[in-house]
Amino acid sequence: MEARERTEWMTMRGGARAWAVWGIALSAYVVAVLHRTSLGVAGLDAQQRFGIGAGALASFAVLQLLVYAGLQVPVGVLLDRFGSLRLIVAGALIMASGQLLMAFADGLTGAVIARVLVGAGDAMTFISVLRLVPQWFPTKRVPVVNQLSGIVGQLGQVLSAVPLAALLAGPGWTTAFVSAAATGLFVAILALVALHDTPERRVNTGAAISARKLGQDLRSAWQHPGTRLGLWTHFTTQFTGTVFALMWGYPFLIAGEGLSRGTASTLLTLFVLVGMIGGPLIGVVVQKHPLRRSWVVLAVVAANALGWGLVIAWPGRAPMAVLLILVVALGLGGPGSMIGFEFARTFNPPNRLGTATGIVNVGGFVASLVTIELVGLILDARTGGRADYDITDFKVAMSVQYALMAIGVLGILRTRRLARRRMAAEGVHVRPLREALADRGWFSSERIGKG
Ligand SMILES: N[C@@H](Cc1c[nH]cn1)C(=O)NCC(=O)O
């Protein structure tokens, strides 16, 4: 290859090199999701190892998510300053050290510190990947590559649900967590060796952090109702799936529904696959109908509510068909939550996109940690802290999700109204969906009048 060709290849956006760099960053996110979800598959083992009840077990995940959510905005600021490469490597190393600690922890203190480290490293990873994408791909491809990043990253759950669960069931706790730590170390080295912040620069250092600018960006991003619409979108769509994958899905399927570990792992894998198929479909709908994104969000929430409704209303244990409907509905939550980031991107100027993205990303994780804790407390209250739950205990505990869904939907409807008002003031009028559908002959005008 001649020097000129090599320079073009090195700086080309969207080419093979871009995909290779993205793949390396993505592998760090996949492993972050593996670490994040590892306690979900190890939940029952953790209860035995540390002699704890459901509430204490839930507190581990809650703490991890608290750290994750609390660090979103500060990490966004650090990202602007230090770039994706340094944050991805740091995140991978921090998570690996947390998993190593967990491997040898035989008391609660070690386990708690381990989960804090996992939450902190995890907080650095996804938004660093999102930050890398516009540097490496043409603008028009950014939404699709972002969706792909979110979707493919969830393969980390498959790594927890299948190989990690197999290691737990076979060689046991220490081998499983040491293996997870080793995987983390591997992706850290890979990123250190091969990741580049931009096509032109290996490391891209941003402007020094100023408290005044930070305050301004935070205020402006928060004050735009579009950012808060993103936050409520992320809050409402993501939490049911996260609670399922991260903490209560596995115990619910095994202890509640009476499935084997293998079948539960298969259902958790299906949950990820549904997201992988649903993501691009949702992406296409959103791309074609950008002014109807909130309806896609509400449809995803309705599917989640329906899925849980069927399981809860079913007398006793639900048949496999009903569990499949639940898993398919939950699988749509992750791709649905990516619409939250789309709201952040389209309602904010590029210079405060990192801040707005951080704010949006807090939503789903706050909703998840609240739900995980509440489910744990309800289970504990029903069983007196013993891990011998039955299906009724889970049905009662899982019903708490409807309260979070209701709060989220109210948040979406309110901020959507405010965002539309702001758009109207800027000359963009969004017609009510019924009117738009009526124009296409979906409803008669008399029915609209009554609606
Ligand atoms: N909504 C997720 C990403 C996603 C996409 N499809 C399924 N999940 C999200 O917000 N991710 C943030 C993170 O750190 O994982």
Side-chain angles (χ1 to χ4, degrees), residues 421-446:
R421 201 179 289 164
R422 175 86 70 109
M423 288 165 76
E426 289 162 4
V428 181
H429 295 273
V430 183
R431 295 172 64 212
L433 183 63
R434 287 187 136 248
E435 278 180 26
L437 290 177
D439 278 358
R440 292 174 175 223
W442 281 58
F443 296 112
S444 73
S445 47
E446 289 87 350

mmCIF file with all atom_site columns, all heavy atoms in Angstrom, residues 421-446:
data_model
loop_
_atom_site.group_PDB
_atom_site.id
_atom_site.type_symbol
_atom_site.label_atom_id
_atom_site.label_alt_id
_atom_site.label_comp_id
_atom_site.label_asym_id
_atom_site.label_entity_id
_atom_site.label_seq_id
_atom_site.pdbx_PDB_ins_code
_atom_site.Cartn_x
_atom_site.Cartn_y
_atom_site.Cartn_z
_atom_site.occupancy
_atom_site.B_iso_or_equiv
_atom_site.pdbx_formal_charge
_atom_site.auth_seq_id
_atom_site.auth_comp_id
_atom_site.auth_asym_id
_atom_site.auth_atom_id
_atom_site.pdbx_PDB_model_num
ATOM 1   N N   . ARG A 1 421 ? -44.421 21.416 22.993 1.00 0.00 ? 421 ARG A N   1
ATOM 2   C CA  . ARG A 1 421 ? -44.692 22.846 23.111 1.00 0.00 ? 421 ARG A CA  1
ATOM 3   C C   . ARG A 1 421 ? -43.459 23.628 22.663 1.00 0.00 ? 421 ARG A C   1
ATOM 4   O O   . ARG A 1 421 ? -43.548 24.593 21.924 1.00 0.00 ? 421 ARG A O   1
ATOM 5   C CB  . ARG A 1 421 ? -45.050 23.176 24.565 1.00 0.00 ? 421 ARG A CB  1
ATOM 6   C CG  . ARG A 1 421 ? -45.810 24.468 24.706 1.00 0.00 ? 421 ARG A CG  1
ATOM 7   C CD  . ARG A 1 421 ? -46.163 24.717 26.151 1.00 0.00 ? 421 ARG A CD  1
ATOM 8   N NE  . ARG A 1 421 ? -47.194 23.821 26.667 1.00 0.00 ? 421 ARG A NE  1
ATOM 9   C CZ  . ARG A 1 421 ? -47.448 23.642 27.962 1.00 0.00 ? 421 ARG A CZ  1
ATOM 10  N NH1 . ARG A 1 421 ? -46.738 24.258 28.875 1.00 0.00 ? 421 ARG A NH1 1
ATOM 11  N NH2 . ARG A 1 421 ? -48.402 22.847 28.350 1.00 0.00 ? 421 ARG A NH2 1
ATOM 12  N N   . ARG A 1 422 ? -42.278 23.161 23.130 1.00 0.00 ? 422 ARG A N   1
ATOM 13  C CA  . ARG A 1 422 ? -41.020 23.835 22.759 1.00 0.00 ? 422 ARG A CA  1
ATOM 14  C C   . ARG A 1 422 ? -40.800 23.741 21.239 1.00 0.00 ? 422 ARG A C   1
ATOM 15  O O   . ARG A 1 422 ? -40.389 24.692 20.590 1.00 0.00 ? 422 ARG A O   1
ATOM 16  C CB  . ARG A 1 422 ? -39.870 23.162 23.518 1.00 0.00 ? 422 ARG A CB  1
ATOM 17  C CG  . ARG A 1 422 ? -38.480 23.631 23.196 1.00 0.00 ? 422 ARG A CG  1
ATOM 18  C CD  . ARG A 1 422 ? -38.045 24.848 23.993 1.00 0.00 ? 422 ARG A CD  1
ATOM 19  N NE  . ARG A 1 422 ? -37.814 24.603 25.389 1.00 0.00 ? 422 ARG A NE  1
ATOM 20  C CZ  . ARG A 1 422 ? -36.597 24.594 25.970 1.00 0.00 ? 422 ARG A CZ  1
ATOM 21  N NH1 . ARG A 1 422 ? -35.533 24.795 25.242 1.00 0.00 ? 422 ARG A NH1 1
ATOM 22  N NH2 . ARG A 1 422 ? -36.479 24.423 27.254 1.00 0.00 ? 422 ARG A NH2 1
ATOM 23  N N   . MET A 1 423 ? -41.127 22.573 20.662 1.00 0.00 ? 423 MET A N   1
ATOM 24  C CA  . MET A 1 423 ? -40.957 22.403 19.209 1.00 0.00 ? 423 MET A CA  1
ATOM 25  C C   . MET A 1 423 ? -41.898 23.332 18.457 1.00 0.00 ? 423 MET A C   1
ATOM 26  O O   . MET A 1 423 ? -41.517 23.935 17.446 1.00 0.00 ? 423 MET A O   1
ATOM 27  C CB  . MET A 1 423 ? -41.237 20.945 18.809 1.00 0.00 ? 423 MET A CB  1
ATOM 28  C CG  . MET A 1 423 ? -40.165 19.982 19.238 1.00 0.00 ? 423 MET A CG  1
ATOM 29  S SD  . MET A 1 423 ? -40.723 18.284 19.127 1.00 0.00 ? 423 MET A SD  1
ATOM 30  C CE  . MET A 1 423 ? -40.640 17.999 17.361 1.00 0.00 ? 423 MET A CE  1
ATOM 31  N N   . ALA A 1 424 ? -43.151 23.440 18.968 1.00 0.00 ? 424 ALA A N   1
ATOM 32  C CA  . ALA A 1 424 ? -44.135 24.309 18.295 1.00 0.00 ? 424 ALA A CA  1
ATOM 33  C C   . ALA A 1 424 ? -43.635 25.745 18.296 1.00 0.00 ? 424 ALA A C   1
ATOM 34  O O   . ALA A 1 424 ? -43.753 26.465 17.292 1.00 0.00 ? 424 ALA A O   1
ATOM 35  C CB  . ALA A 1 424 ? -45.484 24.199 18.996 1.00 0.00 ? 424 ALA A CB  1
ATOM 36  N N   . ALA A 1 425 ? -43.023 26.168 19.441 1.00 0.00 ? 425 ALA A N   1
ATOM 37  C CA  . ALA A 1 425 ? -42.497 27.535 19.515 1.00 0.00 ? 425 ALA A CA  1
ATOM 38  C C   . ALA A 1 425 ? -41.382 27.735 18.494 1.00 0.00 ? 425 ALA A C   1
ATOM 39  O O   . ALA A 1 425 ? -41.125 28.840 18.037 1.00 0.00 ? 425 ALA A O   1
ATOM 40  C CB  . ALA A 1 425 ? -41.983 27.806 20.928 1.00 0.00 ? 425 ALA A CB  1
ATOM 41  N N   . GLU A 1 426 ? -40.710 26.619 18.137 1.00 0.00 ? 426 GLU A N   1
ATOM 42  C CA  . GLU A 1 426 ? -39.624 26.711 17.152 1.00 0.00 ? 426 GLU A CA  1
ATOM 43  C C   . GLU A 1 426 ? -40.130 26.423 15.738 1.00 0.00 ? 426 GLU A C   1
ATOM 44  O O   . GLU A 1 426 ? -39.354 26.278 14.798 1.00 0.00 ? 426 GLU A O   1
ATOM 45  C CB  . GLU A 1 426 ? -38.495 25.723 17.531 1.00 0.00 ? 426 GLU A CB  1
ATOM 46  C CG  . GLU A 1 426 ? -37.724 26.173 18.765 1.00 0.00 ? 426 GLU A CG  1
ATOM 47  C CD  . GLU A 1 426 ? -36.918 25.040 19.411 1.00 0.00 ? 426 GLU A CD  1
ATOM 48  O OE1 . GLU A 1 426 ? -36.894 23.923 18.855 1.00 0.00 ? 426 GLU A OE1 1
ATOM 49  O OE2 . GLU A 1 426 ? -36.328 25.292 20.483 1.00 0.00 ? 426 GLU A OE2 1
ATOM 50  N N   . GLY A 1 427 ? -41.478 26.280 15.595 1.00 0.00 ? 427 GLY A N   1
ATOM 51  C CA  . GLY A 1 427 ? -42.089 26.137 14.271 1.00 0.00 ? 427 GLY A CA  1
ATOM 52  C C   . GLY A 1 427 ? -42.299 24.707 13.814 1.00 0.00 ? 427 GLY A C   1
ATOM 53  O O   . GLY A 1 427 ? -42.693 24.461 12.682 1.00 0.00 ? 427 GLY A O   1
ATOM 54  N N   . VAL A 1 428 ? -42.052 23.707 14.679 1.00 0.00 ? 428 VAL A N   1
ATOM 55  C CA  . VAL A 1 428 ? -42.299 22.304 14.295 1.00 0.00 ? 428 VAL A CA  1
ATOM 56  C C   . VAL A 1 428 ? -43.546 21.830 15.038 1.00 0.00 ? 428 VAL A C   1
ATOM 57  O O   . VAL A 1 428 ? -43.547 21.739 16.266 1.00 0.00 ? 428 VAL A O   1
ATOM 58  C CB  . VAL A 1 428 ? -41.097 21.393 14.667 1.00 0.00 ? 428 VAL A CB  1
ATOM 59  C CG1 . VAL A 1 428 ? -41.366 19.964 14.249 1.00 0.00 ? 428 VAL A CG1 1
ATOM 60  C CG2 . VAL A 1 428 ? -39.814 21.917 14.048 1.00 0.00 ? 428 VAL A CG2 1
ATOM 61  N N   . HIS A 1 429 ? -44.608 21.576 14.304 1.00 0.00 ? 429 HIS A N   1
ATOM 62  C CA  . HIS A 1 429 ? -45.864 21.164 14.941 1.00 0.00 ? 429 HIS A CA  1
ATOM 63  C C   . HIS A 1 429 ? -46.062 19.661 14.761 1.00 0.00 ? 429 HIS A C   1
ATOM 64  O O   . HIS A 1 429 ? -46.029 19.159 13.643 1.00 0.00 ? 429 HIS A O   1
ATOM 65  C CB  . HIS A 1 429 ? -47.041 21.940 14.336 1.00 0.00 ? 429 HIS A CB  1
ATOM 66  C CG  . HIS A 1 429 ? -46.949 23.405 14.625 1.00 0.00 ? 429 HIS A CG  1
ATOM 67  N ND1 . HIS A 1 429 ? -47.455 23.972 15.770 1.00 0.00 ? 429 HIS A ND1 1
ATOM 68  C CD2 . HIS A 1 429 ? -46.358 24.405 13.936 1.00 0.00 ? 429 HIS A CD2 1
ATOM 69  C CE1 . HIS A 1 429 ? -47.197 25.258 15.774 1.00 0.00 ? 429 HIS A CE1 1
ATOM 70  N NE2 . HIS A 1 429 ? -46.532 25.557 14.663 1.00 0.00 ? 429 HIS A NE2 1
ATOM 71  N N   . VAL A 1 430 ? -46.263 18.969 15.871 1.00 0.00 ? 430 VAL A N   1
ATOM 72  C CA  . VAL A 1 430 ? -46.510 17.517 15.799 1.00 0.00 ? 430 VAL A CA  1
ATOM 73  C C   . VAL A 1 430 ? -48.006 17.305 15.923 1.00 0.00 ? 430 VAL A C   1
ATOM 74  O O   . VAL A 1 430 ? -48.604 17.634 16.950 1.00 0.00 ? 430 VAL A O   1
ATOM 75  C CB  . VAL A 1 430 ? -45.778 16.777 16.948 1.00 0.00 ? 430 VAL A CB  1
ATOM 76  C CG1 . VAL A 1 430 ? -45.986 15.270 16.831 1.00 0.00 ? 430 VAL A CG1 1
ATOM 77  C CG2 . VAL A 1 430 ? -44.292 17.112 16.941 1.00 0.00 ? 430 VAL A CG2 1
ATOM 78  N N   . ARG A 1 431 ? -48.595 16.749 14.874 1.00 0.00 ? 431 ARG A N   1
ATOM 79  C CA  . ARG A 1 431 ? -50.046 16.532 14.923 1.00 0.00 ? 431 ARG A CA  1
ATOM 80  C C   . ARG A 1 431 ? -50.350 15.307 15.768 1.00 0.00 ? 431 ARG A C   1
ATOM 81  O O   . ARG A 1 431 ? -49.587 14.336 15.767 1.00 0.00 ? 431 ARG A O   1
ATOM 82  C CB  . ARG A 1 431 ? -50.577 16.315 13.508 1.00 0.00 ? 431 ARG A CB  1
ATOM 83  C CG  . ARG A 1 431 ? -50.405 17.559 12.652 1.00 0.00 ? 431 ARG A CG  1
ATOM 84  C CD  . ARG A 1 431 ? -50.760 17.262 11.226 1.00 0.00 ? 431 ARG A CD  1
ATOM 85  N NE  . ARG A 1 431 ? -52.177 16.908 11.131 1.00 0.00 ? 431 ARG A NE  1
ATOM 86  C CZ  . ARG A 1 431 ? -52.636 16.039 10.236 1.00 0.00 ? 431 ARG A CZ  1
ATOM 87  N NH1 . ARG A 1 431 ? -51.831 15.420 9.421  1.00 0.00 ? 431 ARG A NH1 1
ATOM 88  N NH2 . ARG A 1 431 ? -53.924 15.781 10.181 1.00 0.00 ? 431 ARG A NH2 1
ATOM 89  N N   . PRO A 1 432 ? -51.496 15.336 16.499 1.00 0.00 ? 432 PRO A N   1
ATOM 90  C CA  . PRO A 1 432 ? -51.859 14.142 17.272 1.00 0.00 ? 432 PRO A CA  1
ATOM 91  C C   . PRO A 1 432 ? -51.895 12.915 16.363 1.00 0.00 ? 432 PRO A C   1
ATOM 92  O O   . PRO A 1 432 ? -52.295 13.008 15.189 1.00 0.00 ? 432 PRO A O   1
ATOM 93  C CB  . PRO A 1 432 ? -53.252 14.475 17.805 1.00 0.00 ? 432 PRO A CB  1
ATOM 94  C CG  . PRO A 1 432 ? -53.314 15.975 17.806 1.00 0.00 ? 432 PRO A CG  1
ATOM 95  C CD  . PRO A 1 432 ? -52.460 16.421 16.642 1.00 0.00 ? 432 PRO A CD  1
ATOM 96  N N   . LEU A 1 433 ? -51.482 11.767 16.908 1.00 0.00 ? 433 LEU A N   1
ATOM 97  C CA  . LEU A 1 433 ? -51.371 10.541 16.124 1.00 0.00 ? 433 LEU A CA  1
ATOM 98  C C   . LEU A 1 433 ? -52.693 10.185 15.449 1.00 0.00 ? 433 LEU A C   1
ATOM 99  O O   . LEU A 1 433 ? -52.721 9.772  14.295 1.00 0.00 ? 433 LEU A O   1
ATOM 100 C CB  . LEU A 1 433 ? -50.924 9.398  17.048 1.00 0.00 ? 433 LEU A CB  1
ATOM 101 C CG  . LEU A 1 433 ? -50.691 8.055  16.363 1.00 0.00 ? 433 LEU A CG  1
ATOM 102 C CD1 . LEU A 1 433 ? -49.567 8.128  15.351 1.00 0.00 ? 433 LEU A CD1 1
ATOM 103 C CD2 . LEU A 1 433 ? -50.386 6.971  17.396 1.00 0.00 ? 433 LEU A CD2 1
ATOM 104 N N   . ARG A 1 434 ? -53.803 10.401 16.190 1.00 0.00 ? 434 ARG A N   1
ATOM 105 C CA  . ARG A 1 434 ? -55.114 10.015 15.636 1.00 0.00 ? 434 ARG A CA  1
ATOM 106 C C   . ARG A 1 434 ? -55.409 10.784 14.361 1.00 0.00 ? 434 ARG A C   1
ATOM 107 O O   . ARG A 1 434 ? -55.915 10.222 13.388 1.00 0.00 ? 434 ARG A O   1
ATOM 108 C CB  . ARG A 1 434 ? -56.236 10.262 16.654 1.00 0.00 ? 434 ARG A CB  1
ATOM 109 C CG  . ARG A 1 434 ? -56.209 9.253  17.783 1.00 0.00 ? 434 ARG A CG  1
ATOM 110 C CD  . ARG A 1 434 ? -57.393 9.381  18.686 1.00 0.00 ? 434 ARG A CD  1
ATOM 111 N NE  . ARG A 1 434 ? -57.908 8.054  18.982 1.00 0.00 ? 434 ARG A NE  1
ATOM 112 C CZ  . ARG A 1 434 ? -59.074 7.592  18.560 1.00 0.00 ? 434 ARG A CZ  1
ATOM 113 N NH1 . ARG A 1 434 ? -59.862 8.355  17.857 1.00 0.00 ? 434 ARG A NH1 1
ATOM 114 N NH2 . ARG A 1 434 ? -59.457 6.379  18.851 1.00 0.00 ? 434 ARG A NH2 1
ATOM 115 N N   . GLU A 1 435 ? -55.074 12.091 14.382 1.00 0.00 ? 435 GLU A N   1
ATOM 116 C CA  . GLU A 1 435 ? -55.320 12.906 13.177 1.00 0.00 ? 435 GLU A CA  1
ATOM 117 C C   . GLU A 1 435 ? -54.455 12.422 12.028 1.00 0.00 ? 435 GLU A C   1
ATOM 118 O O   . GLU A 1 435 ? -54.923 12.303 10.893 1.00 0.00 ? 435 GLU A O   1
ATOM 119 C CB  . GLU A 1 435 ? -54.982 14.380 13.459 1.00 0.00 ? 435 GLU A CB  1
ATOM 120 C CG  . GLU A 1 435 ? -56.082 15.122 14.155 1.00 0.00 ? 435 GLU A CG  1
ATOM 121 C CD  . GLU A 1 435 ? -55.698 16.571 14.419 1.00 0.00 ? 435 GLU A CD  1
ATOM 122 O OE1 . GLU A 1 435 ? -54.850 17.107 13.679 1.00 0.00 ? 435 GLU A OE1 1
ATOM 123 O OE2 . GLU A 1 435 ? -56.236 17.147 15.387 1.00 0.00 ? 435 GLU A OE2 1
ATOM 124 N N   . ALA A 1 436 ? -53.193 12.146 12.328 1.00 0.00 ? 436 ALA A N   1
ATOM 125 C CA  . ALA A 1 436 ? -52.278 11.699 11.274 1.00 0.00 ? 436 ALA A CA  1
ATOM 126 C C   . ALA A 1 436 ? -52.751 10.367 10.692 1.00 0.00 ? 436 ALA A C   1
ATOM 127 O O   . ALA A 1 436 ? -52.734 10.164 9.473  1.00 0.00 ? 436 ALA A O   1
ATOM 128 C CB  . ALA A 1 436 ? -50.874 11.562 11.835 1.00 0.00 ? 436 ALA A CB  1
ATOM 129 N N   . LEU A 1 437 ? -53.248 9.478  11.576 1.00 0.00 ? 437 LEU A N   1
ATOM 130 C CA  . LEU A 1 437 ? -53.733 8.184  11.091 1.00 0.00 ? 437 LEU A CA  1
ATOM 131 C C   . LEU A 1 437 ? -55.017 8.357  10.291 1.00 0.00 ? 437 LEU A C   1
ATOM 132 O O   . LEU A 1 437 ? -55.242 7.670  9.297  1.00 0.00 ? 437 LEU A O   1
ATOM 133 C CB  . LEU A 1 437 ? -53.957 7.227  12.265 1.00 0.00 ? 437 LEU A CB  1
ATOM 134 C CG  . LEU A 1 437 ? -52.693 6.731  12.976 1.00 0.00 ? 437 LEU A CG  1
ATOM 135 C CD1 . LEU A 1 437 ? -53.058 5.847  14.166 1.00 0.00 ? 437 LEU A CD1 1
ATOM 136 C CD2 . LEU A 1 437 ? -51.791 5.960  12.021 1.00 0.00 ? 437 LEU A CD2 1
ATOM 137 N N   . ALA A 1 438 ? -55.858 9.304  10.741 1.00 0.00 ? 438 ALA A N   1
ATOM 138 C CA  . ALA A 1 438 ? -57.125 9.541  10.035 1.00 0.00 ? 438 ALA A CA  1
ATOM 139 C C   . ALA A 1 438 ? -56.848 9.981  8.602  1.00 0.00 ? 438 ALA A C   1
ATOM 140 O O   . ALA A 1 438 ? -57.522 9.552  7.661  1.00 0.00 ? 438 ALA A O   1
ATOM 141 C CB  . ALA A 1 438 ? -57.937 10.598 10.771 1.00 0.00 ? 438 ALA A CB  1
ATOM 142 N N   . ASP A 1 439 ? -55.822 10.798 8.400  1.00 0.00 ? 439 ASP A N   1
ATOM 143 C CA  . ASP A 1 439 ? -55.462 11.252 7.059  1.00 0.00 ? 439 ASP A CA  1
ATOM 144 C C   . ASP A 1 439 ? -55.093 10.080 6.162  1.00 0.00 ? 439 ASP A C   1
ATOM 145 O O   . ASP A 1 439 ? -55.242 10.123 4.957  1.00 0.00 ? 439 ASP A O   1
ATOM 146 C CB  . ASP A 1 439 ? -54.257 12.198 7.132  1.00 0.00 ? 439 ASP A CB  1
ATOM 147 C CG  . ASP A 1 439 ? -54.696 13.600 7.502  1.00 0.00 ? 439 ASP A CG  1
ATOM 148 O OD1 . ASP A 1 439 ? -55.921 13.793 7.654  1.00 0.00 ? 439 ASP A OD1 1
ATOM 149 O OD2 . ASP A 1 439 ? -53.814 14.467 7.647  1.00 0.00 ? 439 ASP A OD2 1
ATOM 150 N N   . ARG A 1 440 ? -54.586 9.043  6.790  1.00 0.00 ? 440 ARG A N   1
ATOM 151 C CA  . ARG A 1 440 ? -54.209 7.855  6.020  1.00 0.00 ? 440 ARG A CA  1
ATOM 152 C C   . ARG A 1 440 ? -55.371 6.878  5.916  1.00 0.00 ? 440 ARG A C   1
ATOM 153 O O   . ARG A 1 440 ? -55.194 5.733  5.526  1.00 0.00 ? 440 ARG A O   1
ATOM 154 C CB  . ARG A 1 440 ? -53.032 7.171  6.669  1.00 0.00 ? 440 ARG A CB  1
ATOM 155 C CG  . ARG A 1 440 ? -51.791 8.003  6.572  1.00 0.00 ? 440 ARG A CG  1
ATOM 156 C CD  . ARG A 1 440 ? -50.683 7.368  7.336  1.00 0.00 ? 440 ARG A CD  1
ATOM 157 N NE  . ARG A 1 440 ? -49.465 8.123  7.119  1.00 0.00 ? 440 ARG A NE  1
ATOM 158 C CZ  . ARG A 1 440 ? -48.273 7.569  6.900  1.00 0.00 ? 440 ARG A CZ  1
ATOM 159 N NH1 . ARG A 1 440 ? -48.166 6.285  6.841  1.00 0.00 ? 440 ARG A NH1 1
ATOM 160 N NH2 . ARG A 1 440 ? -47.213 8.321  6.723  1.00 0.00 ? 440 ARG A NH2 1
ATOM 161 N N   . GLY A 1 441 ? -56.550 7.301  6.422  1.00 0.00 ? 441 GLY A N   1
ATOM 162 C CA  . GLY A 1 441 ? -57.738 6.472  6.308  1.00 0.00 ? 441 GLY A CA  1
ATOM 163 C C   . GLY A 1 441 ? -57.851 5.393  7.379  1.00 0.00 ? 441 GLY A C   1
ATOM 164 O O   . GLY A 1 441 ? -58.608 4.441  7.227  1.00 0.00 ? 441 GLY A O   1
ATOM 165 N N   . TRP A 1 442 ? -57.083 5.525  8.474  1.00 0.00 ? 442 TRP A N   1
ATOM 166 C CA  . TRP A 1 442 ? -57.146 4.507  9.527  1.00 0.00 ? 442 TRP A CA  1
ATOM 167 C C   . TRP A 1 442 ? -58.406 4.646  10.380 1.00 0.00 ? 442 TRP A C   1
ATOM 168 O O   . TRP A 1 442 ? -58.918 3.689  10.891 1.00 0.00 ? 442 TRP A O   1
ATOM 169 C CB  . TRP A 1 442 ? -55.933 4.613  10.450 1.00 0.00 ? 442 TRP A CB  1
ATOM 170 C CG  . TRP A 1 442 ? -54.702 4.011  9.875  1.00 0.00 ? 442 TRP A CG  1
ATOM 171 C CD1 . TRP A 1 442 ? -54.110 4.361  8.693  1.00 0.00 ? 442 TRP A CD1 1
ATOM 172 C CD2 . TRP A 1 442 ? -53.926 2.954  10.416 1.00 0.00 ? 442 TRP A CD2 1
ATOM 173 N NE1 . TRP A 1 442 ? -53.005 3.607  8.483  1.00 0.00 ? 442 TRP A NE1 1
ATOM 174 C CE2 . TRP A 1 442 ? -52.855 2.713  9.542  1.00 0.00 ? 442 TRP A CE2 1
ATOM 175 C CE3 . TRP A 1 442 ? -54.014 2.188  11.582 1.00 0.00 ? 442 TRP A CE3 1
ATOM 176 C CZ2 . TRP A 1 442 ? -51.902 1.751  9.769  1.00 0.00 ? 442 TRP A CZ2 1
ATOM 177 C CZ3 . TRP A 1 442 ? -53.054 1.239  11.812 1.00 0.00 ? 442 TRP A CZ3 1
ATOM 178 C CH2 . TRP A 1 442 ? -52.016 1.015  10.910 1.00 0.00 ? 442 TRP A CH2 1
ATOM 179 N N   . PHE A 1 443 ? -58.854 5.907  10.580 1.00 0.00 ? 443 PHE A N   1
ATOM 180 C CA  . PHE A 1 443 ? -60.060 6.123  11.387 1.00 0.00 ? 443 PHE A CA  1
ATOM 181 C C   . PHE A 1 443 ? -61.000 7.027  10.599 1.00 0.00 ? 443 PHE A C   1
ATOM 182 O O   . PHE A 1 443 ? -60.553 7.853  9.823  1.00 0.00 ? 443 PHE A O   1
ATOM 183 C CB  . PHE A 1 443 ? -59.732 6.857  12.696 1.00 0.00 ? 443 PHE A CB  1
ATOM 184 C CG  . PHE A 1 443 ? -58.853 6.087  13.624 1.00 0.00 ? 443 PHE A CG  1
ATOM 185 C CD1 . PHE A 1 443 ? -57.558 6.512  13.872 1.00 0.00 ? 443 PHE A CD1 1
ATOM 186 C CD2 . PHE A 1 443 ? -59.313 4.947  14.250 1.00 0.00 ? 443 PHE A CD2 1
ATOM 187 C CE1 . PHE A 1 443 ? -56.736 5.811  14.728 1.00 0.00 ? 443 PHE A CE1 1
ATOM 188 C CE2 . PHE A 1 443 ? -58.492 4.239  15.115 1.00 0.00 ? 443 PHE A CE2 1
ATOM 189 C CZ  . PHE A 1 443 ? -57.214 4.665  15.338 1.00 0.00 ? 443 PHE A CZ  1
ATOM 190 N N   . SER A 1 444 ? -62.321 6.911  10.876 1.00 0.00 ? 444 SER A N   1
ATOM 191 C CA  . SER A 1 444 ? -63.233 7.845  10.246 1.00 0.00 ? 444 SER A CA  1
ATOM 192 C C   . SER A 1 444 ? -63.215 9.145  11.078 1.00 0.00 ? 444 SER A C   1
ATOM 193 O O   . SER A 1 444 ? -62.884 9.119  12.264 1.00 0.00 ? 444 SER A O   1
ATOM 194 C CB  . SER A 1 444 ? -64.653 7.270  10.227 1.00 0.00 ? 444 SER A CB  1
ATOM 195 O OG  . SER A 1 444 ? -65.169 7.323  11.526 1.00 0.00 ? 444 SER A OG  1
ATOM 196 N N   . SER A 1 445 ? -63.573 10.285 10.432 1.00 0.00 ? 445 SER A N   1
ATOM 197 C CA  . SER A 1 445 ? -63.502 11.558 11.155 1.00 0.00 ? 445 SER A CA  1
ATOM 198 C C   . SER A 1 445 ? -64.489 11.621 12.316 1.00 0.00 ? 445 SER A C   1
ATOM 199 O O   . SER A 1 445 ? -64.243 12.239 13.325 1.00 0.00 ? 445 SER A O   1
ATOM 200 C CB  . SER A 1 445 ? -63.723 12.728 10.199 1.00 0.00 ? 445 SER A CB  1
ATOM 201 O OG  . SER A 1 445 ? -64.831 12.458 9.403  1.00 0.00 ? 445 SER A OG  1
ATOM 202 N N   . GLU A 1 446 ? -65.640 10.871 12.180 1.00 0.00 ? 446 GLU A N   1
ATOM 203 C CA  . GLU A 1 446 ? -66.602 10.870 13.311 1.00 0.00 ? 446 GLU A CA  1
ATOM 204 C C   . GLU A 1 446 ? -65.955 10.284 14.550 1.00 0.00 ? 446 GLU A C   1
ATOM 205 O O   . GLU A 1 446 ? -66.083 10.771 15.642 1.00 0.00 ? 446 GLU A O   1
ATOM 206 C CB  . GLU A 1 446 ? -67.847 10.002 12.974 1.00 0.00 ? 446 GLU A CB  1
ATOM 207 C CG  . GLU A 1 446 ? -68.770 10.598 11.939 1.00 0.00 ? 446 GLU A CG  1
ATOM 208 C CD  . GLU A 1 446 ? -68.343 10.230 10.528 1.00 0.00 ? 446 GLU A CD  1
ATOM 209 O OE1 . GLU A 1 446 ? -67.238 9.688  10.354 1.00 0.00 ? 446 GLU A OE1 1
ATOM 210 O OE2 . GLU A 1 446 ? -69.113 10.498 9.603  1.00 0.00 ? 446 GLU A OE2 1
#
